[in-house]
Amino acid sequence: EPEVTQTPSHQVTQMGQEVILRCVPISNHLYFYWYRQILGQKVEFLVSFYNNEISEKSEIFDDQFSVERPDGSNFTLKIRSTKLEDSAMYFCASRETSGGFYEQYFGPGTRLTVT
Amino acid sequence: AQSVTQLDSHVSVSEGTPVLLRCNYSSSYSPSLFWYVQHPNKGLQLLLKYTSAATLVKGINGFEAEFKKSETSFHLTKPSAHMSDAAEYFCVVRDYNQGGKLIFGQGTELSVKP
């Protein structure tokens, strides 16, 4: 069964460093998402991406964040200058079409630890 | 705006007894509702979804949920808990704006005692 994959599974970085989290969505999916889950809190939406552009972003998704689909298979989340409060589990998700009730399929997550 | 509220942060049951995880929703439209499960150190797995086809929705691993519009509820149930059901459960509503993001509840941690 096709699945969303994410790398790395765990990333440790120092405050102020740039990190890139990578995701490979399911191949025929058209919508892509990033969510994050700070330890002990609920899962929060960050950004959605469709047709090579951001379709919606949350207020969390400020200028420090960017997303890209560089090669038609990968979907990346970049944090330019990490802060301690960026420590969280980051989930990538994808879904099939622009309409209907197609569910989002989630990757296993990348745990980001900022020290 | 749409939202979901999970009424219990933690539920503890004994193996073999029924499970009830409660969720209320708020939506201006007919909602698309989901339950996701997250096992320790794992990703999010879809348990079931409600998309207005039937009010009683069956999911994987023996779970089911009933959509009750009059009560704005979408509670998750299972007749008999198994040890492997111990996990975090999230009630989720799909946002109808733009990209269809998912809005998560706070989560309910289910513990299963032997």
Side-chain angles (χ1 to χ4, degrees):
Chain A
E1 185 177 329
E3 58 183 17
V4 177
T5 59
Q6 290 185 242
T7 54
S9 56
H10 190 194
Q11 173 97 43
V12 181
T13 190
Q14 289 189 325
M15 195 167 51
Q17 295 297 305
E18 175 184 286
V19 294
I20 298 177
L21 309 183
R22 291 183 167 79
C23 168
V24 178
I26 295 172
S27 61
N28 63 335
H29 285 190
L30 300 177
Y31 268 92
F32 313 111
Y33 304 83
W34 284 102
Y35 296 82
R36 79 173 185 188
Q37 183 183 30
I38 295 171
L39 187 64
Q41 298 186 22
K42 66 178 179 180
V43 178
E44 304 172 287
F45 166 77
L46 290 178
V47 65
S48 60
F49 191 86
Y50 172 71
N51 201 24
N52 285 320
E53 61 183 21
I54 291 173
S55 57
E56 187 180 2
K57 59 183 181 179
S58 72
E59 50 194 41
I60 302 168
F61 195 88
D62 61 21
D63 292 343
Q64 296 288 357
F65 292 89
S66 63
V67 289
E68 194 177 34
R69 189 159 161 79
D71 56 14
S73 62
N74 288 284
F75 179 52
T76 62
L77 174 69
K78 181 193 290 186
I79 309 174
R80 288 190 183 82
S81 178
T82 50
K83 298 178 275 213
L84 293 176
E85 53 264 38
D86 294 327
S87 294
M89 181 74 90
Y90 288 80
F91 293 105
C92 173
S94 68
R95 72 177 171 93
E96 195 170 351
T97 73
S98 60
F101 299 107
Y102 297 97
E103 63 262 28
Q104 294 182 22
Y105 291 83
F106 283 81
T110 292
R111 180 168 299 284
L112 177 64
T113 303
V114 182
T115 62
Chain B
Q2 287 138 301
S3 66
V4 286
T5 302
Q6 293 182 244
L7 302 175
D8 306 290
S9 59
H10 186 242
V11 169
S12 182
V13 301
S14 297
E15 191 174 21
T17 63
V19 175
L20 170 63
L21 306 183
R22 299 182 295 164
C23 173
N24 287 349
Y25 71 89
S26 174
S27 177
S28 303
Y29 307 94
S30 180
S32 290
L33 294 161
F34 308 82
W35 277 96
Y36 279 83
V37 62
Q38 184 181 28
H39 290 275
N41 300 313
K42 300 287 187 184
L44 295 155
Q45 181 184 19
L46 179 69
L47 270 181
L48 50 80
K49 62 182 179 182
Y50 167 74
T51 58
S52 76
T55 56
L56 183 62
V57 182
K58 293 188 185 300
I60 61 172
N61 300 333
F63 284 94
E64 60 183 38
E66 186 171 8
F67 175 75
K68 292 187 176 180
K69 186 176 179 179
S70 60
E71 299 177 10
T72 62
S73 69
F74 189 59
H75 301 336
L76 181 71
T77 60
K78 183 174 180 178
S80 177
H82 192 271
M83 295 296 292
S84 61
D85 294 328
E88 186 91 16
Y89 291 80
F90 293 96
C91 182
V92 180
V93 64
R94 178 179 175 265
D95 186 11
Y96 276 93
N97 292 329
Q98 296 179 296
K101 67 177 184 279
L102 298 181
I103 300 165
F104 284 73
Q106 293 281 3
T108 298
E109 183 182 357
L110 175 65
S111 301
V112 182
K113 298 174 290 187

